[in-house]
Amino acid sequence: MGSDLLRITVLGSATPFPRPGNACSGYLVEGGGVRLWVDAGTGTLAELQRYVSLGEVDAVWISHLHADHSADLLTAYYALLYAGLDLPLPVPLFGPPGIADRLAAFLTNGPDRSPVEKAFAVEELYDGHVVRVGGLTLRSRAVEHGGLPAFALRVEDEGGASLVYSGDCEPCPPLVELALGCDLFVCEADGFVPGHHSAPQAGRSAADARAGRLVVTHVGPGTGPADAVALAAAEFSGDVVHADPGARFEVVTTRRSRTPGRTTTSPASSR
């Protein structure tokens, strides 16, 4: 049983490849009695197991299919099906269109397609996708990431606490709309690269969304974490911190705003 308190733990924040002591993008989100693995970048499966076993993960959510956000789904597949773990299968997996075939293309080594769906119950994301997993509501918006299908995520608990994760994207109205009034905004700051936020842009997006707190993550080469925090803080008056690997942020709120939308219930809610 997961925590009732909404919180996020940084499994890794490195880009574009893992570094000693820092895996690529991945987060453990807990709350509402469930545990979510959000992005599965290279190295994050090992880090995830510092906190929970793979069998305790209720659902997986993937922002886009670049390897530094999704590659550990491949090793998770083998763990789920062939490691003798005692866990209910398949695990709900929310990801961009084509994610199942993309995994199968990597995993298939013979004439028969690898049984991706035995490991993962795949549900493809779309702009405005909403699903309930246990006591958490997950809302996804399509964002701009160089033409690749990519999504940002808002997680809300039943008490109104909310966190938003940008995935990888450039500043865009859908992200600000999704993050509006959130308590914690986790935004990438991968430098001045098309399809990404820079650190100052992360600060401006947080300010435009009137977020409560900003966590800059996925800081690109050439900018240190402290510099990224300072650059973002120059644009955002709230608290700004870096997503250090292993950092855990509890999400509390005095606000009770909700984002309207249709909600469906995931099989994970009964896991």
Side-chain angles (χ1 to χ4, degrees), residues 9-12 51 243-248:
T9 302
V10 180
L11 305 178
Y51 309 99
D244 293 337
R248 173 170 285 173

Side-chain angles (χ1 to χ4, degrees), residues 36 61 94 129-131 133 136-140 153-155:
L36 309 174
W61 186 95
F94 307 103
H129 180 275
V130 183
V131 67
V133 183
L136 299 179
T137 300
L138 281 59
R139 306 179 188 276
S140 301
L153 173 67
R154 182 180 182 116
V155 181

Side-chain angles (χ1 to χ4, degrees), residues 170-217:
E170 63 189 48
C172 55
L175 176 63
V176 172
E177 292 167 7
L178 184 71
L180 192 63
C182 70
D183 299 294
L184 185 72
F185 184 31
V186 181
C187 187
E188 53 105 9
D190 200 5
F192 294 93
V193 181
H196 295 271
H197 278 72
S198 65
Q201 288 171 331
R204 287 196 290 272
S205 288
D208 290 344
R210 300 194 295 277
R213 189 180 191 192
L214 172 62
V215 178
V216 291
T217 189

Side-chain angles (χ1 to χ4, degrees), residues 16 18 20 28 45 60 63 81 87 91-92 98 116 121 138-139 149 167 176 179 192-193 223 225 230 264:
L28 172 64
L45 177 56
V60 184
S63 63
L81 291 188
L87 50 84
V91 176
V116 171
L138 281 59
R139 306 179 188 276
V176 172
F192 294 93
V193 181
T223 304
T264 59

Side-chain angles (χ1 to χ4, degrees), residues 97-108 113 116-117 122 124:
I99 187 171
D101 288 340
R102 180 72 172 271
L103 291 174
F106 279 100
L107 294 165
T108 299
R113 181 181 184 274
V116 171
E117 288 79 7
V122 178
E124 293 187 346

